[in-house]
Amino acid sequence: MKTQWWKNAVGYQIYPRSFKDTNADGIGDLRGIIEKLDYIQDLGVDCVWICPFYRSPMDDNGYDVSDFYDVDPLFGTLDDAKELIAKAHQKGIRIILDLVLNHTSDEHPWFMESRSSLDNPKRDWYIWQKPRQDEKGKRIPPTNWASFFEGSCWNYDETSGEYYLKIFSDKMPDLNWANPDLRKEMYAMSRWWLDLGVDGFRVDAVAHLSKDTSFTDSEMKLNHDGVAPDWSKFSNRPELFEYLHEFHDEVLKHYDCLSVGEVGGGANVKAATRYAGYHAKAFNMVFNFDHCWKNGAFGSEDKTDDELTVNVLDLKETMDRWIQGMKGKGWIPHYWLNHDHPRVMSQYGNPRKFHRASGCMLGTVLLTLPGTPFIYNGEEIGMTNVDYTDINDFNDVWVKNYYEKAIKRQSPEQILTHLRRTSRDNARTPMQWDDSASAGFTTGKPHQKPVGNYKEINVKQQSEDPSSILNAYKHLIRLRKHGHLHSVLVNGDFKLISPKNKDLFVFERKKDDVTVLVVANFRAHEIRYKLPYLPKAIHYDNYGLAEITKEIVLLPYQALVLEK
Ligand code: GLC
Ligand code: CA
């Protein structure tokens, strides 16, 4: 039976490589997650999405899968995965797998077969095209399309003299979803995991499953690499929705599971109803990226951190557009960051002067929005972006590709500033458990350098401090999941209050006769504000003040959850 349990859930995303290492090899593992299940339960979340732990050469930290049916030895064994699922279930925690459907590793046996000859039966499981020649007769890729990870989205294969499509790294060839045998294989693999006990999927890069198979050049202006970043060539294309219906009928329909798609490539609200409308026969919900990057982090190399400001108007208009656009049509998830983004503390918070207050404020907004909130590991203690000053401390495949090209036009200092603000490594540093060496993440040498502030910012310290960000998250999760505000916070209407206020994010949640007012100050200074009414109860105040008057002076990053 379908219970739609995910509507009431609070999600927690784990990046396994950096969560907890138990065998001192410096890499987080599944046993580390098992060890921390009590922590996860105590936090109050009940649905854990774990980034890929399949067998992989780790070119893109596990998103390049070489065997979908096994756990990479770096992370543990299949038995560890089974134990993790069983122990999580005992604690009422569901486990969501990261399902990578768009591509495999180039070391996956399918691709090795596919590239072995032009007439191999698996040739058509990937996307192969003949080279073109420029005016001088030099070999050039089949189209001018860019890859998400810099450069062309085509890679030349010497053996067969053709190019294969790879919209991410060279080691991640795209699968050809137009091939029915391939699709069947992917459905069988998905069912295998559900039968093993996982409770659903976050479906990776799903917007890209189908491509423009006319394989003609984009008209878009070429970038500094001479390629066109025209994502429309392989994003949100019509055939993709047919595949999703098939996936729904062959797989999802038969389980009481959660399916949440990752839809990049500029999917809008209308497209989202096709991915995850209540009647779409596709997913339960989709992550969009529109609310990210509202602090102008891109192209900001010449500004100091204090000069970057959050565009609060844009942020709340964007969230409101999605919430109103999907109202009555489909369910939505909310998140501040994931493993592909910088830390929200460093983007929308204020790590240097108001770490505690701003972290609590961001948690307040996230956990009082409608839909299903997802917390990213470390967010609940306000982890920050990296403080690296050496390019070699960065590890992401995208960073490496980027550096090689950027160094031709920017100074090393500018590049480092850019990476400290935008790189995916910001979210991938070791979880800060305590103030011991390597932040209590490992007793070995961590695969990536922890952020230097772990002595002050860590789980142990915050567990002991009742006013910490960690305890604020726990309190707000309890408020959302239990007690009389549960229904209004999950299902209630959402309405922006003072929508034109450029510093405050204020909204009302309303269901039947319960009305909740959330007030959040996104600035490092005090702001006068007149509440629409005097509330009858204060359910949360990150400054812990006892009283509220109708005319208030909000303190820096103050956040309030009030009941009318
Ligand atoms: C998604 C993942 C990202 C990965 C990419 C390719 O965007 O979130 O981490 O690099 O897909 O799998
Ligand atoms: Ca390990």
Side-chain angles (χ1 to χ4, degrees):
M1 209 201 54
K2 296 267 183 191
T3 60
Q4 300 196 330
W5 55 266
W6 37 266
K7 286 192 173 173
N8 297 316
V10 175
Y12 186 72
Q13 182 191 351
I14 292 182
Y15 196 68
R17 168 175 285 265
S18 298
F19 194 61
K20 175 72 190 170
D21 176 26
T22 55
N23 62 349
D25 66 352
I27 296 172
D29 40 55
L30 296 186
R31 300 222 68 83
I33 304 179
I34 295 174
E35 196 180 297
K36 293 296 180 186
L37 280 174
D38 284 338
Y39 169 77
I40 294 165
Q41 185 180 37
D42 185 49
L43 183 58
V45 299
D46 52 1
C47 167
V48 171
W49 149 28
I50 309 175
C51 285
F53 50 78
Y54 313 96
R55 205 175 262 273
S56 159
M58 303 289 162
D59 182 55
D60 188 22
N61 290 357
Y63 282 94
D64 49 319
V65 181
S66 57
D67 183 355
F68 289 106
Y69 293 91
D70 203 2
V71 171
D72 194 276
L74 279 183
F75 295 128
T77 63
L78 196 57
D79 280 336
D80 292 336
K82 289 182 191 159
E83 186 179 328
L84 169 60
I85 296 165
K87 292 207 165 131
H89 286 174
Q90 280 163 17
K91 292 182 186 295
I93 298 166
R94 289 179 160 97
I95 300 287
I96 304 300
L97 214 68
D98 208 314
L99 190 65
V100 189
L101 300 180
N102 180 68
H103 44 265
T104 66
S105 162
D106 65 343
E107 297 179 36
H108 193 291
W110 300 342
F111 187 72
M112 305 213 284
E113 279 191 49
S114 183
R115 83 186 318 174
S116 67
S117 73
L118 291 171
D119 56 4
N120 183 280
K122 296 240 165 37
R123 186 71 175 176
D124 189 48
W125 282 32
Y126 293 84
I127 300 169
W128 294 96
Q129 286 290 302
K130 290 193 176 42
R132 291 185 300 176
Q133 293 190 336
D134 67 9
E135 310 87 65
K136 294 187 194 123
K138 198 179 136 223
R139 186 187 69 224
I140 55 166
T143 70
N144 64 1
W145 309 346
S147 132
F148 286 119
F149 286 2
E150 304 288 317
S152 166
C153 74
W154 297 98
N155 201 36
Y156 186 64
D157 180 53
E158 296 287 346
T159 325
S160 58
E162 290 189 342
Y163 282 83
Y164 63 86
L165 185 86
K166 47 96 202 172
I167 65 174
F168 294 99
S169 90
D170 287 355
K171 284 182 67 61
M172 297 157 82
D174 283 60
L175 287 162
N176 178 18
W177 271 71
N179 182 303
D181 294 336
L182 175 269
R183 295 205 299 276
K184 245 188 238 148
E185 186 70 37
M186 296 311 265
Y187 303 150
M189 181 271 290
S190 311
R191 282 196 302 266
W192 186 84
W193 279 103
L194 289 165
D195 291 337
L196 204 86
V198 302
D199 302 283
F201 303 117
R202 174 265 189 185
V203 188
D204 183 63
V206 72
H208 313 303
L209 295 191
S210 90
K211 332 281 174 185
D212 177 353
T213 51
S214 67
F215 298 119
T216 45
D217 275 345
S218 166
E219 305 282 301
M220 198 181 263
K221 195 167 162 273
L222 304 185
N223 68 12
H224 44 76
D225 286 340
V227 284
D230 185 354
W231 313 136
S232 72
K233 297 292 182 192
F234 40 76
S235 304
N236 312 308
R237 302 193 67 86
E239 308 77 32
L240 152 68
F241 297 98
E242 289 161 30
Y243 307 149
L244 291 190
H245 295 154
E246 200 178 61
F247 184 60
H248 173 267
D249 287 348
E250 298 282 326
V251 183
L252 298 174
K253 193 171 93 180
H254 308 284
Y255 300 84
D256 187 21
C257 64
L258 161 64
S259 51
V260 46
E262 180 209 24
V263 299
N268 57 19
V269 178
K270 191 149 170 269
T273 60
R274 301 189 66 195
Y275 281 106
Y278 291 129
H279 308 292
K281 291 205 180 349
F283 292 147
N284 300 132
M285 49 181 122
V286 282
F287 288 118
N288 77 85
F289 304 171
D290 289 1
H291 64 290
C292 305
W293 307 110
K294 300 296 188 198
N295 68 333
F298 277 99
S300 68
E301 293 83 290
D302 298 323
K303 289 188 183 151
T304 64
D305 285 352
D306 284 327
E307 284 168 339
L308 295 187
T309 42
V310 184
N311 187 337
V312 177
L313 276 183
D314 192 4
L315 175 67
K316 57 190 188 181
E317 269 167 27
T318 305
M319 288 189 151
D320 190 49
R321 175 160 46 79
W322 274 90
I323 294 170
Q324 307 307 348
M326 293 299 279
K327 189 175 162 186
K329 298 189 183 134
W331 196 256
I332 48 174
H334 288 285
Y335 69 101
W336 279 131
L337 81 149
N338 59 37
H339 63 291
D340 294 330
H341 294 129
R343 287 282 173 183
V344 68
M345 168 54 72
S346 301
Q347 287 221 299
Y348 297 171
N350 189 324
R352 277 153 293 127
K353 299 191 189 117
F354 295 100
H355 180 261
R356 192 201 68 81
S358 64
C360 296
M361 182 280 284
L362 291 165
T364 306
V365 174
L366 178 74
L367 292 162
T368 54
L369 289 170
T372 303
F374 281 81
I375 299 162
Y376 180 73
N377 57 193
E379 173 190 336
E380 74 276 25
I381 54 167
M383 278 177 63
T384 67
N385 281 354
V386 299
D387 47 3
Y388 301 162
T389 50
D390 181 345
I391 185 71
N392 295 312
D393 287 337
F394 290 87
N395 162 51
D396 184 10
V397 53
W398 170 79
V399 167
K400 302 213 158 94
N401 294 348
Y402 173 81
Y403 189 84
E404 266 173 39
K405 307 214 150 108
I407 194 68
K408 294 179 194 141
R409 44 176 210 277
Q410 281 188 310
S411 72
E413 288 68 38
Q414 282 175 315
I415 296 177
L416 281 168
T417 306
H418 176 70
L419 293 177
R420 281 191 298 262
R421 284 180 186 159
T422 61
S423 142
R424 309 198 299 179
D425 283 315
N426 286 305
R428 300 176 176 191
T429 58
M431 178 78 180
Q432 296 171 193
W433 294 106
D434 58 40
D435 61 4
S436 68
S438 301
F441 159 71
T442 179
T443 53
K445 184 179 176 313
H447 70 90
Q448 184 153 346
K449 204 168 133 185
V451 184
N453 57 26
Y454 71 84
K455 291 213 161 35
E456 299 83 55
I457 301 174
N458 61 63
V459 169
K460 182 162 181 288
Q461 188 273 332
Q462 293 198 20
S463 306
E464 291 155 6
D465 171 6
S467 70
S468 66
I469 304 175
L470 179 60
N471 278 310
Y473 269 73
K474 285 189 197 174
H475 173 81
L476 291 155
I477 293 167
R478 259 198 312 276
L479 204 63
R480 183 179 186 94
K481 290 196 63 77
H482 312 284
H484 78 287
L485 298 187
H486 169 65
S487 185
V488 66
L489 290 180
V490 174
N491 299 298
D493 283 340
F494 172 94
K495 185 174 148 209
L496 281 180
I497 307 290
S498 313
K500 301 273 176 253
N501 189 304
K502 59 183 188 5
D503 303 311
L504 306 179
F505 194 162
V506 185
F507 55 89
E508 209 173 58
R509 302 295 316 280
K510 198 171 163 71
K511 187 161 193 297
D512 306 323
D513 50 0
V514 187
T515 303
V516 170
L517 181 70
V518 178
V519 184
N521 180 3
F522 269 72
R523 301 295 178 219
H525 51 259
E526 295 183 351
I527 302 211
R528 284 186 177 281
Y529 185 64
K530 194 165 161 209
L531 295 173
Y533 38 77
L534 199 63
K536 75 169 180 217
I538 309 174
H539 291 285
Y540 181 67
D541 172 357
N542 58 349
Y543 281 87
L545 305 177
E547 255 178 76
I548 299 274
T549 48
K550 202 168 162 196
E551 305 229 358
I552 48 173
V553 178
L554 290 161
L555 298 169
Y557 297 98
Q558 189 165 13
L560 303 165
V561 181
L562 310 169
E563 187 176 353
K564 187 175 180 178

